[in-house]
Amino acid sequence: MSACVDVVLPCLDEAAALPGVLAALPRGYRAIVVDNGSRDSSVEVAAAAGAVVVREERRGYGAAVHAGLVAATAEVVAVLDADGSLDPGLLPAAVALLDTADLVLGRRRPVSRAAWPAPQRLSNELLAWRLRRRLGIAVHDVPPFRVFRREPMLGLGLTDRRSGYPLETLVAATRAGWRIAELDVPYRPRIGRSKVSGDLRGAISAVRDMTAQLRAAGA
């Protein structure tokens, strides 16, 4: 597998975390930072570090990821949170699994209780259980760490532009016959305040979006 990989980093007020995340990218991995309305210096920090900066005015995780995917040019694309919770150094191991898989997920393994608050972790486990039990999708996480080939992903025609995007990805990929692999990755406390667990409105929005995708999938 080629070492040239585009890494899409959805970004909303991640100026504190971006320097470390971008510095940790392996050689041959190009950062595409998709700013989704930051009010801090995220754009300036990303540009100064040499990242490609894309602005996506439509708010939503799915909107940011899709904008990055459209901007990417590499055959292989990775998606990673920009908050420092995930190690970019593990990307080559995930990319290597594309020799036998079509979609690689970084299954989060929290390094401490602070890394993944219990309500969010248990909600994720229940979501993954429903995917396994009702749709036969053999996953244990619906994670922000994903690696895949660009053109086939665009071909899935994903439409969710909010928090339901990762779940829609798994459902559409499975229905398209994709082989899905999981790679255990350490999950660290994020740098800064979470847009989901640290904000009631964000948490409610994420639950609503995920639930809508589950209903649409018949789970």
Side-chain angles (χ1 to χ4, degrees), residues 114-186:
W116 203 353
Q120 287 72 41
R121 177 175 54 81
L122 293 174
S123 295
N124 180 77
E125 289 177 359
L126 177 60
L127 182 65
W129 177 84
R130 290 178 67 175
L131 291 174
R132 294 194 304 273
R133 182 69 176 268
R134 301 187 183 185
L135 297 178
I137 303 176
V139 298
H140 299 82
D141 191 4
V142 183
F145 185 123
R146 302 184 296 281
V147 177
F148 47 84
R149 293 174 180 83
R150 178 178 181 271
E151 291 299 329
M153 180 61 72
L154 286 171
L156 290 180
L158 303 179
T159 60
D160 194 298
R161 295 295 179 260
R162 296 175 60 84
S163 300
Y165 184 92
L167 193 150
E168 184 189 18
T169 299
L170 293 182
V171 173
T174 298
R175 289 178 172 171
W178 286 24
R179 300 162 298 173
I180 300 176
E182 291 183 310
L183 173 71
D184 286 355
V185 298

Side-chain angles (χ1 to χ4, degrees), residues 7-25 31-36 38-54 80-86 88 188 190-192 195:
V7 183
V8 175
L9 296 158
C11 176
L12 179 60
D13 296 330
E14 304 291 3
L18 276 173
V21 172
L22 296 175
L25 284 174
I32 300 177
V33 175
V34 184
D35 185 71
N36 203 209
S38 296
R39 297 183 179 181
D40 64 3
S41 59
S42 292
V43 170
E44 292 77 12
V45 169
V52 174
V53 176
V54 175
L80 201 69
D81 278 352
D83 59 13
S85 61
L86 296 162
R188 308 174 297 204
R190 61 161 287 127
I191 298 173
K195 312 308 183 297

